[in-house]
Amino acid sequence: MPLLPPVRLAPAAELAAAVRAAPLAADLIRLGRWATSMGAPVTSEAVPGFGHDADWFWALATGTAFLDLDDAETAATPGPALTRLLDGADDLVLEVWTDVCYAVLHPEELGGETTGLPLLQLFALRVPMEAAELPGHEPLQALGLVERRGDRVALTPLGLWAGREYFYDMTGQDVPEVGSLADADAATLLYSLRCYPAPEQAEELAGWLAGREPGEAAGQVAAALAEVSPLSRAIGLSLLADDLGEEGRTALDGLLEVPRLGALVSTRLDAEASAVHDSGDVAWVLTDMAASLIEFGGAPEEILAELNPGGQAAELADMVAMLAVGDHEDTGHVLAFMIEHHPDKSVTFAARKALRRLRGLADERPGARGRKPRKPKRRR
């Protein structure tokens, strides 16, 4: 999946107000007040559903602390989530709603059906969709995450906030928030900027540079290049060359003597480094560039087209064959991508051979020296 662009979230006070206005929040508040009026523990048989399935509503209320179960888990009293939702600070209200959204969007929590897919679709596209294309979006309306606009469904500001959290839970991709990186270290900045369009990148960079001395900022970015991912490294090189002025270009010049990284810098500057690049340098640079494209994501055929603009399989096979002589940590990942996705057998053959060489198996392939192939261990 391609990296998604950053989000611009509403202020916490606005999001908290939206939580309190959500239909499901109103029902949970009614339930809590009803339980308070009873003056004694209540059971699941006695709890009103307020239009919801009674068993589902009981599980939701007890699972999110709107009702507190007793030790026997048979009766409940009003819980702390009710107080937080009614009178808590904005961050506590959002914390409560995070728990509610998690319970509703994860079917295993309440024994229901999947409800999170429409949220993922809307968050990924960031545009309204036809209601007919989003079956099962009604629970999202109850949570205040989407709204109907005629025949279309759109994310609310609260939905954008919740969609970001849910998208991370489901994919592991942390979509950054615009304006959140001012106090971040350089490595975090470069990692987050991978998905920023140009205007937002300039805005975020300006916020990060505010209060930092130009030479210090350029030095921090340069120092982070060796530890970040390939795509983050490409972002950092671009910042130093194009956005950080004379200090950035000076920092780049200082990297030319750094093993491996210096070869990448000289390639980026289209200039010759003071040291002669050996085959290991060339392999490392090619791997880093390929890994950055794979990291950005997208359809495999589009990534392959970027890696081999001329479309000549023989040229790509020659390039793939030499990757094993480098010592880049992503070499295996790049070769595995070629093996899985390239349609030309000459390329996949070269990638398999290079991967064996990389793993030290060229002379120790299964069956050699009387050994039998071993059954792969099952991953836990």
Side-chain angles (χ1 to χ4, degrees):
M1 177 174 291
L3 295 175
L4 295 189
V7 296
R8 198 181 297 272
L9 298 180
E14 181 179 331
L15 294 174
V19 168
R20 295 187 177 104
L24 186 56
D27 291 338
L28 288 167
I29 290 171
R30 288 171 65 197
L31 176 64
R33 286 173 171 166
W34 174 85
T36 301
S37 70
M38 300 300 291
V42 296
T43 62
S44 60
E45 291 79 8
V47 167
F50 298 116
H52 304 283
D53 177 83
D55 290 338
W56 179 89
F57 200 45
W58 170 265
L60 175 65
T62 55
T64 56
F66 277 87
L67 293 178
D68 256 352
L69 283 170
D70 61 10
D71 292 339
E73 298 188 354
T74 57
T77 54
L82 175 65
T83 301
R84 292 177 181 175
L85 186 60
L86 289 172
D87 304 314
D90 297 336
D91 60 334
L92 291 179
V93 173
L94 294 177
E95 184 178 309
V96 167
W97 212 236
T98 297
D99 292 341
V100 173
C101 288
Y102 185 89
V104 174
L105 296 176
H106 290 75
E108 67 277 7
E109 295 294 316
L110 301 176
E113 298 181 356
T114 301
T115 58
L117 181 59
L119 182 60
L120 286 179
Q121 292 173 292
L122 287 166
F123 182 77
L125 295 175
R126 311 279 177 90
V127 294
M129 295 180 61
E130 294 290 337
E133 298 177 0
L134 293 170
H137 67 270
E138 290 79 7
L140 302 181
Q141 288 182 266
L143 289 165
L145 308 185
V146 304
E147 60 184 2
R148 287 291 295 266
R149 300 175 182 173
D151 294 331
R152 301 176 74 81
V153 178
L155 281 181
T156 63
L158 184 63
L160 187 64
W161 165 81
R164 177 176 178 244
E165 300 295 325
Y166 187 65
F167 190 81
Y168 176 77
D169 286 342
M170 299 305 293
T171 70
Q173 186 181 143
D174 188 6
V175 178
E177 177 187 356
V178 175
S180 65
L181 300 175
D183 297 325
D185 59 31
T188 302
L189 174 75
L190 298 182
Y191 180 82
S192 299
L193 289 183
R194 298 175 308 156
C195 60
Y196 274 61
E200 286 83 0
Q201 184 179 114
E203 177 184 346
E204 195 73 72
L205 180 62
W208 187 80
L209 290 173
R212 285 181 169 87
E213 190 273 325
E216 175 192 8
Q220 291 174 1
V221 171
L225 293 182
E227 63 179 281
V228 297
S229 69
L231 183 55
S232 302
R233 189 157 36 243
I235 295 293
L237 290 175
S238 178
L239 294 183
L240 291 172
D242 304 323
D243 299 291
L244 298 182
E246 188 61 35
E247 293 82 2
R249 289 185 286 275
T250 299
L252 274 180
D253 290 340
L255 294 172
L256 288 172
E257 300 295 334
V258 177
R260 300 307 195 225
L261 186 58
L264 182 64
V265 171
S266 67
T267 301
R268 174 66 176 81
L269 296 177
D270 195 24
E272 293 185 4
S274 56
V276 177
H277 299 150
D278 58 21
S279 59
D281 278 338
V282 175
W284 194 94
V285 169
L286 291 173
T287 302
D288 202 68
M289 291 178 170
S292 70
L293 291 171
I294 296 171
E295 184 181 347
F296 185 76
E301 57 271 18
E302 294 176 357
I303 296 173
L304 290 170
E306 289 284 339
L307 291 173
N308 186 26
Q312 298 297 318
E315 294 179 2
L316 186 59
D318 290 342
M319 183 195 83
V320 167
M322 69 176 301
L323 296 186
V325 303
D327 52 5
H328 198 290
E329 63 181 1
D330 288 319
T331 301
H333 180 52
V334 171
L335 292 173
F337 180 87
M338 295 290 184
I339 293 169
E340 182 175 358
H341 296 293
H342 204 284
D344 191 281
K345 291 183 178 180
S346 66
V347 175
T348 57
F349 176 80
R352 292 181 190 279
K353 185 175 180 180
L355 191 57
R356 287 199 302 270
R357 182 178 181 184
L358 179 71
R359 294 172 176 173
L361 298 179
D363 298 320
E364 293 291 334
R365 56 181 63 89
R369 300 186 183 181
R371 294 188 295 113
K372 295 181 179 180
R374 292 181 296 176
K375 183 179 181 179
K377 293 182 179 180
R378 184 176 181 178
R379 292 186 178 182
R380 297 184 181 274

